[in-house]
């Protein structure tokens, strides 16, 4: 009797061969009913994936390269803590799908877009972090022109020819702003770069503005202060806001780190949180639940994000055409803005 193939499973299950491939990799893109059906048929047919033969046929290394880019930090790690949690998820997802993970720490100024695939180091790239997007975008276009298999974490940018996985920053910004409005806040400030240099922050700012507009509140540009995702930058932005003399009773930090820095500046200047000023962040990094008061924030699901980054990259490597993914955010209510 000949060995069963994935096409045999696809025929029995009434699905495509690519769906079989995803189901056998436990892809979150396949619904549970279909996944269990495919896996049951695979067991019935005693189907086994021959990874060695597959590697020889495709001349693949069965390795994924994760490129982490330096971020300004308050310590020597130069890694945004948000990406540290995603790193664990990516590592587990690669192991579950039979891929090795090569982690490489990069500076944006380095020649990091050199083709990993031509050197056989890796079958594809996952990109985390980018600093100033204007500088980063040019190298993304070079990767695309080289037909490199890669996927990046981040906001989808109009007319960009890049596969991305990201969260719905607009809706997340709307969520946290609306929550503060429901807590009777009326004078809002936004701390974070609201320009095309930082597309994720810009989308959060647009969500913030839309929530204010929908609730007939004023979007005051004098209450928007640029900040990068570092506690010190959030502190400095909040200090600048305080020194400006404008009135405010709510602050949206474009990231948890910005919000945490802002909270320290407010407390040092005698503001009570949340009694006088409500504060929210974005990301739900681990420390957010341990600040005093604990930080209300928009949670990005780093576990699912890691799984989808790996899943979509493998699909790309296998010649499929996966779509961009926009993940929902979840409002996490804590003590920094009242109930």
């Amino acid at each position: 009797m000949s060995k069963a193939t994935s096409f045999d499973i696809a025929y029995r299950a009434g699905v495509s061969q690519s769906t079989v491939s995803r189901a056998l990799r436990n892809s979150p893109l396949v619904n549970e009913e279909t996944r269990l059906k495919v896996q049951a048929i695979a067991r019935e047919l005693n189907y086994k994936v021959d990874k060695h033969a597959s590697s020889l046929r495709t001349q693949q290394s069965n390795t994924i390269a994760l490129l982490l880019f330096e971020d300004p930090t308050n310590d020597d790690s130069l890694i945004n803590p948000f990406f540290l949690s995603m790193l664990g998820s990516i590592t587990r997802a690669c192991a579950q799908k039979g891929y090795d993970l090569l982690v490489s720490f990069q500076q944006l100024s380095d020649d990091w877009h050199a083709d990993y695939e031509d050197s056989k180091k890796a079958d594809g790239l996952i990109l985390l972090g980018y600093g100033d997007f204007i500088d980063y975008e040019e190298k993304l276009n070079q990767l695309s022109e080289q037909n490199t298999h890669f996927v990046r974490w981040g906001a989808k940018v109009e007319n960009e020819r890049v596969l991305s996985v990201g969260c719905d920053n607009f809706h997340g910004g709307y969520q946290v702003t609306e929550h503060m409005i429901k807590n009777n806040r009326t004078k809002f400030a936004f701390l974070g770069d609201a320009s095309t240099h930082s597309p994720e922050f810009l989308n959060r700012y647009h969500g913030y503005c839309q929530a204010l507009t929908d609730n007939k509140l004023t979007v005051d540009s004098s209450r928007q202060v640029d900040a990068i995702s570092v506690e010190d930058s959030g502190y400095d932005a909040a200090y600048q806001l305080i020194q400006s003399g404008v009135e405010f009773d709510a602050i949206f930090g474009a990231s948890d780190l910005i919000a945490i820095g802002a909270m320290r500046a407010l407390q040092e200047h005698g503001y009570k949180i949340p009694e006088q000023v409500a504060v929210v962040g974005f990301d739900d990094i681990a420390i957010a639940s341990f600040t005093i008061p604990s930080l209300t924030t928009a949670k990005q699901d780093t576990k699912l994000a890691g799984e989808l980054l790996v899943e979509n990259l493998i699909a790309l490597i296998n010649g499929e055409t996966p779509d961009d993914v926009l993940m929902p955010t979840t409002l996490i209510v804590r003590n920094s803005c009242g109930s």
Side-chain angles (χ1 to χ4, degrees):
M1 180 183 292
S2 60
K3 291 176 62 176
T5 69
S6 59
F7 292 99
D8 296 325
I9 299 172
Y11 177 77
R12 289 274 297 273
V15 299
S16 68
Q17 193 271 340
S18 60
T19 297
V20 170
S21 178
R22 288 193 180 104
L24 295 178
R25 295 198 300 263
N26 289 314
S27 167
L29 298 177
V30 179
N31 67 59
E32 183 178 15
E33 181 181 356
T34 301
R35 178 169 52 83
L36 293 176
K37 179 181 179 181
V38 167
Q39 291 176 353
I41 294 171
R43 286 193 297 270
E44 181 183 336
L45 297 178
N46 198 29
Y47 174 77
K48 302 290 183 185
V49 178
D50 188 340
K51 294 178 182 177
H52 179 66
S54 176
S55 179
L56 289 175
R57 284 196 304 271
T58 61
Q59 294 187 321
Q60 293 179 355
S61 64
N62 278 344
T63 298
I64 287 172
L66 170 63
L67 305 192
L68 269 167
F69 297 96
E70 283 189 357
D71 271 317
T73 58
N74 284 349
D75 56 23
D76 294 330
S77 70
L78 299 181
I79 301 177
N80 186 315
F82 173 74
F83 292 129
L84 285 177
S85 60
M86 199 180 293
L87 174 59
S89 175
I90 290 170
T91 303
R92 287 189 296 273
C94 284
Q96 289 168 359
K97 292 169 175 57
Y99 276 76
D100 293 324
L101 183 66
L102 172 65
V103 180
S104 182
F105 195 50
Q106 306 289 327
Q107 291 182 328
L108 191 62
S109 58
D110 288 345
D111 192 27
W112 54 268
H113 58 296
D115 198 335
Y116 273 68
E117 293 181 58
D118 278 354
S119 65
K120 306 303 179 187
K121 289 180 182 178
D123 301 326
L125 311 177
I126 294 175
L127 310 178
L128 292 185
Y130 49 75
D132 188 324
F133 185 78
I134 301 300
D135 296 332
Y136 179 79
E137 187 174 25
E138 181 182 349
K139 293 190 176 183
L140 292 183
N141 290 334
Q142 291 174 342
L143 284 178
S144 294
E145 290 167 4
Q146 294 166 356
N147 295 317
T148 302
H149 297 128
F150 74 100
V151 61
R152 73 176 185 89
W153 168 262
K156 183 63 181 174
V157 177
E158 189 175 356
N159 299 322
E160 183 186 63
R161 300 171 298 158
V162 173
L163 180 64
S164 66
V165 173
C167 87
D168 191 339
N169 291 287
F170 178 91
H171 183 250
Y174 193 104
Q175 272 183 313
V176 293
T177 305
E178 186 177 53
H179 179 72
M180 289 193 289
I181 293 171
K182 289 178 179 177
N183 278 272
N184 301 315
R185 308 298 167 150
T186 58
K187 300 180 179 68
F188 284 76
F190 182 92
L191 307 185
D193 183 7
S195 76
T196 53
H197 291 268
S198 183
E200 290 174 302
F201 283 10
L202 180 59
N203 287 343
R204 294 168 196 178
Y205 179 70
H206 285 159
Y208 155 88
C209 292
Q210 190 63 55
L212 294 181
T213 300
D214 287 351
N215 286 276
K216 297 180 173 54
L217 295 173
T218 302
V219 178
D220 186 344
S221 61
S222 69
R223 298 195 194 114
Q224 185 273 316
V225 184
D226 285 350
I228 61 174
S229 194
V230 185
E231 295 99 316
D232 286 349
S233 188
Y235 179 96
D236 292 341
Y239 179 78
Q240 183 178 334
L241 183 69
I242 293 166
Q243 293 299 110
S244 72
V246 299
E247 293 184 2
F248 60 93
D249 61 8
I251 288 179
F252 178 6
S255 74
D256 287 347
L257 294 176
I258 292 173
I260 290 167
M263 285 168 58
R264 181 163 62 89
L266 290 171
Q267 289 164 336
E268 287 183 5
H269 287 80
Y271 289 87
K272 294 181 179 179
I273 307 169
E275 292 84 356
Q276 292 175 280
V277 181
V279 180
V280 298
F282 203 106
D283 289 336
D284 194 33
I285 59 176
I287 195 63
S289 61
F290 293 98
T291 58
I292 300 176
S294 55
L295 182 64
T296 292
T297 185
K299 177 183 178 65
Q300 302 190 76
D301 188 339
T302 55
K303 180 178 183 297
L304 179 59
E307 292 171 353
L308 290 173
L309 284 165
V310 173
E311 171 64 29
N312 274 10
L313 180 57
I314 292 174
L316 203 61
I317 291 167
N318 290 337
E320 301 171 28
T321 54
D323 294 323
D324 295 313
V325 177
L326 193 65
M327 296 167 37
T329 57
T330 303
L331 176 65
I332 305 298
V333 178
R334 298 194 179 101
N335 298 327
S336 65
C337 65
S339 60

